[in-house]
Amino acid sequence: MDHTPDDGSGLTYGSDDMDETANPAIQAIGLTKDYGEGDNVVHALRGVDVSFGKGRFTAIMGPSGSGKSTLMHTLAGLDSATSGRILFQHRDLTKLGDDQLTLLRREQIGFIFQSFNLLPMFTARQNILMPLTLAGAKPDRAWFRLLVATLGLGQRLDHRPNELSGGQQQRVAIARALIAKPRLVFADEPTGALDSVSGTEVLSFLRRAVDELGATIIMVTHDAVAASWADRAIVLADGRIVADETHPTADRMNTLLMAERHAR
């Protein structure tokens, strides 16, 4: 399906409606996360039930302290759950040890960060291939060429990060996240450090990664415009999902976020 940004013309985008539970990439069941104890306990997640479909682009939004980052970190196995289950590739991540989680993240999960996290002494090519280099694995050259072409990096592969614009650095980070063909990619505020033009460029490449490369992306963002590029957006407040929108638009997401801020 062709995805066209919501620009006020009435056109929204997102793939055809589907049951997210029918073919989930990852699923949380009764997911709870508490920090602290006794009177000082903070309930970051309160029994969250949510599934994320394969080959879909999902945005997670919410006010500060809503639990959106905690949800992402817990789903990715970067933070432990207090209770509940996380099902990924027929395994419950809450039952895995640290070494098992590290191996799973290295082989099956990609990450895109707000600050790019590129290694300054290496070229764009070396940064893209770094996950495979660390794993001692050989790259799929055809896949590498496809990523480079899709992300428009062909003329930048021999440049180091300080020779690239912010948008180009984030495109390198996207290619790095996808190079090992992960089952799932988490993007943490991927446009937060970019100007609006570069941010739009990066979002369009994330959109293409889903549509053309079959990626599954879960993105945490505070930006309603960024969320409007996704197939689906969920809103958290006080550790619970309070809205779940298919074909999100910037206006709709801003309305939902403002309503949650006024309710606090």
Side-chain angles (χ1 to χ4, degrees), residues 126-149:
Q126 291 169 320
N127 269 284
I128 292 169
L129 295 173
M130 189 57 62
L132 299 178
T133 302
L134 293 174
K138 293 183 178 180
D140 179 332
R141 291 297 175 183
W143 179 244
F144 175 81
R145 288 193 295 270
L146 179 59
L147 286 178
V148 168

Side-chain angles (χ1 to χ4, degrees), residues 46-243:
R46 303 170 185 254
V48 171
D49 294 309
V50 63
S51 296
F52 298 90
K54 291 180 182 177
R56 302 270 284 172
F57 186 4
T58 306
I60 301 176
M61 304 194 74
S64 178
S66 63
K68 60 183 183 296
S69 292
T70 301
L71 177 58
M72 186 188 76
H73 292 158
T74 308
L75 289 172
L78 296 170
D79 204 351
S80 61
T82 301
S83 63
R85 295 191 294 157
I86 301 169
L87 304 181
F88 176 67
Q89 291 299 105
H90 310 293
R91 305 169 80 183
D92 184 351
L93 301 194
T94 66
K95 306 297 186 185
L96 302 185
D98 288 344
D99 290 344
Q100 291 172 302
L101 285 170
T102 298
L103 185 62
L104 180 142
R105 284 194 298 267
R106 187 173 73 191
E107 294 181 347
Q108 300 194 46
I109 297 177
F111 294 93
I112 302 167
F113 304 96
Q114 176 176 334
S115 55
F116 318 138
N117 285 12
L118 301 180
L119 296 172
M121 71 289 297
F122 294 122
T123 64
R125 183 194 309 274
Q126 291 169 320
N127 269 284
I128 292 169
L129 295 173
M130 189 57 62
L132 299 178
T133 302
L134 293 174
K138 293 183 178 180
D140 179 332
R141 291 297 175 183
W143 179 244
F144 175 81
R145 288 193 295 270
L146 179 59
L147 286 178
V148 168
T150 302
L151 292 164
L153 292 169
Q155 304 302 313
R156 294 290 183 266
L157 290 177
D158 295 323
H159 291 66
R160 289 183 170 80
N162 66 354
E163 300 171 315
L164 303 174
S165 68
Q168 289 167 345
Q169 290 185 62
Q170 193 61 294
R171 281 190 270 153
V172 171
I174 293 169
R176 179 184 60 188
L178 294 172
I179 189 63
K181 300 181 183 177
R183 303 277 183 172
L184 181 60
V185 174
F186 289 101
D188 189 1
E189 298 280 5
T191 61
L194 302 175
D195 60 54
S196 60
V197 173
S198 296
T200 297
E201 176 186 78
V202 164
L203 288 163
S204 75
F205 283 115
L206 290 176
R207 182 71 260 171
R208 289 182 66 187
V210 173
D211 295 339
E212 299 176 21
L213 305 177
T216 301
I217 297 176
I218 299 174
M219 174 180 69
V220 167
T221 182
H222 70 280
D223 184 353
V225 173
S228 74
W229 285 82
D231 299 306
R232 174 191 182 204
I234 64 174
V235 179
L236 272 75
D238 297 321
R240 295 187 176 94
I241 294 176
V242 296

